[in-house]
Amino acid sequence: MIPSFRPLAAVIALLGALLVALLPAVPASAATPTGWVRVAHLSPDTKQVDVTLSSLSGDTVLYKLSSVGYGAVSPYIHLPVGTYAIAMVPAGAPTGTTPVVKASVAVTTGRAVTVAVMGLNKDLQTHVYTDVLGTVPSGKARVRVLQASTKHPTVTVKATSTTVASSAGFASISPYQNVQAGTVPVTLTAGAMTRTMNVPLPAGSVHTLFVLDTASGGLAVSAILDSWASAVTPTGSIDTGAGGLAGPADLGTLAAALAALAAVGAVGAGAELVRRRPADL
Amino acid sequence: MTASRGSPRRRIVAALITAAVLADVGVAVGAAVSGMGGSGADDAAAARLSAPGPRPSVLGLTAGEVARGAAGGLQDPQTAPPAVRSSAVPTRVIIPAISVDAPLEILARDAKGVLQPPTEWADAGWYAKGPVPGDTGAAVIAGHLDTTKRAAVFVSLRQLRPGDRIDVRLSDHRTVHFTVTSARVVKKALFPTSDVYGATPDPELRLITCSEPFDEVHGVYADNLVVFASLAH
């Protein structure tokens, strides 16, 4: 017996086959895991330096910064997970110059670290600090203190009335604190010395307050942006679909969904879908 | 960085030139300059303007100290310019790999704090209390998978692969380029709020739509698809 030609079934079969051919079986996979590293020059009596970041396996320079002065912090460098070598030479020094500082740093998945070169020139130290990412409560800013003064052994730092670091010693880093966002008066206290500066800390921003020396032996603070979250965090998920393409729960593919749609006469939706999907994909 | 910031950068360059001039005449430099405060390669170039280059030995320093870059005393630090959000808003999202070129609505939360989707099926939407695309942080753009009858703007989002390009056009005529890094299908009940809205150290983008299975009882999809992207370099 010769089956009769049924246009609707043909359309269903054709569109179904098309969709199966066009739709990948798995959702997009993750690329190579990455993390972030940045470099800070926090030695008050060390002149500008040139910084290189290279792979530990081999001498390939991956990133270079020229003439990095005291207090400067590089942007975050986004890198595949792994261990990297960081070297600093005096600014403008010829290739092959023995580095003033050599350090290795591990970049781990989704983590951001700061490599800080600290202390007086005769006794340079390298410290690595890890940022905390994640959401920031609505209307708040997140702030922590890195005490890098070589002149003042302990420093207390308040943001408005919140004590962010209490008698912080050299090279110590405080936990992050949430403070009301806005222009925040930051007060540094070291012994009898007190200094207050207004620091803009916008909602959702995450900062490290670097406590630094000045040429005259005083204290300065530099608010360095670590990261930035949404100023207000939405609750839960988002409903971005009305089910026009959905298939029965036990048939998970769009092909099935389209077949179901076509069967109830909604072939237009399928045409729409196909039109929006170039054939070269 | 592809995004240029115009006048703030010019101010930094001007400040650095001033700093270089002051340094050359031996005047202590004020602490209002950052050579590298997060603005990328152009600032590194700007910082070079202030580089004194190799100098003759400073009086009183040993050869060893000079080799170690000793300054011979404390210096005033560079301090960072304040973190400022771009005042531009994104106006279009363009994803060549899946032929998306759509206008952006402004998205907000409802009274319960839930992000509201775009009102038009052919539009995508930008969550305006989150970062501006190209600024530090993860900007969020959502779009419908379908309506009750037809495919919508992000129907093909699941086809994106790591390396695919996403462009966002801004009201100040900039176009910011992102690269897809990964994608995840997540249960709406277990939405990864921290990964989507949490702090990031550099400019990123999240694209969100719905994903099967469809919950017939409640008339909603049970899952979201989240595409993660970072600023293209």
Side-chain angles (χ1 to χ4, degrees), chain B residues 58-221:
Chain B
V58 180
L59 211 62
L61 290 178
T62 66
E65 285 167 336
V66 170
R68 290 174 54 79
L74 299 184
Q75 307 163 101
D76 277 322
Q78 299 180 359
T79 57
V84 181
R85 278 282 182 238
S86 166
S87 57
V89 295
T91 55
R92 270 195 109 72
V93 59
I94 300 138
I95 315 172
I98 53 171
S99 299
V100 168
D101 182 350
L104 290 172
E105 298 179 14
I106 298 290
L107 304 185
R109 307 181 316 153
D110 68 7
K112 289 179 177 167
V114 177
L115 187 60
Q116 297 303 290
T119 54
E120 299 297 322
W121 66 272
D123 293 351
W126 166 66
Y127 175 51
K129 295 280 188 189
V132 176
D135 281 3
T136 299
V140 173
I141 288 176
H144 286 287
L145 176 74
D146 59 12
T147 68
T148 53
K149 290 183 180 147
R150 59 165 65 88
V153 60
F154 278 174
V155 67
S156 302
L157 211 60
R158 68 200 309 239
Q159 294 183 355
L160 288 178
R161 289 291 172 273
D164 284 345
R165 204 178 84 211
I166 304 165
D167 294 343
V168 179
R169 207 166 289 159
L170 296 160
S171 57
D172 60 5
H173 308 297
R174 283 184 296 146
T175 300
V176 187
H177 308 282
F178 294 91
T179 306
V180 173
T181 54
S182 64
R184 278 161 68 186
V185 174
V186 298
K187 293 272 162 237
K188 283 187 179 173
L190 301 170
F191 191 80
T193 294
S194 183
D195 293 343
V196 173
Y197 299 106
T200 66
D202 54 7
E204 301 206 357
L205 183 68
R206 316 283 186 240
L207 301 181
I208 307 176
T209 192
C210 277
S211 185
E212 299 229 53
F214 190 70
D215 176 347
E216 300 283 357
V217 176
H218 300 98
V220 292
Y221 282 98

Side-chain angles (χ1 to χ4, degrees), chain A residues 20-112:
Chain A
V20 167
L22 293 172
L23 283 177
V26 288
S29 56
T32 322
T34 57
W36 297 270
V37 63
R38 66 180 174 184
V39 181
H41 173 346
L42 305 179
S43 168
D45 67 339
T46 299
K47 294 200 288 188
Q48 293 186 334
V49 293
D50 293 340
V51 180
T52 53
L53 183 144
S54 23
S55 172
L56 264 196
S57 55
D59 290 329
T60 318
V61 173
L62 302 168
Y63 198 87
K64 192 170 176 0
L65 289 163
S66 297
S67 303
V68 177
Y70 173 48
V73 182
S74 79
Y76 271 106
I77 308 158
H78 198 190
L79 291 164
V81 164
T83 304
Y84 297 88
I86 287 171
M88 291 187 177
V89 297
T95 312
T97 302
T98 307
V100 176
V101 171
K102 276 173 83 168
S104 70
V105 60
V107 172
T108 54
T109 307
R111 291 208 160 212

Side-chain angles (χ1 to χ4, degrees), chain A residues 174-186:
Chain A
S174 76
Y176 283 101
Q177 297 269 6
N178 294 320
V179 298
Q180 199 59 43
T183 298
V184 174
V186 170

Side-chain angles (χ1 to χ4, degrees), chain B residues 39-53:
Chain B
S39 304
D42 286 3
D43 275 358
R48 270 194 293 279
L49 290 174
S50 68

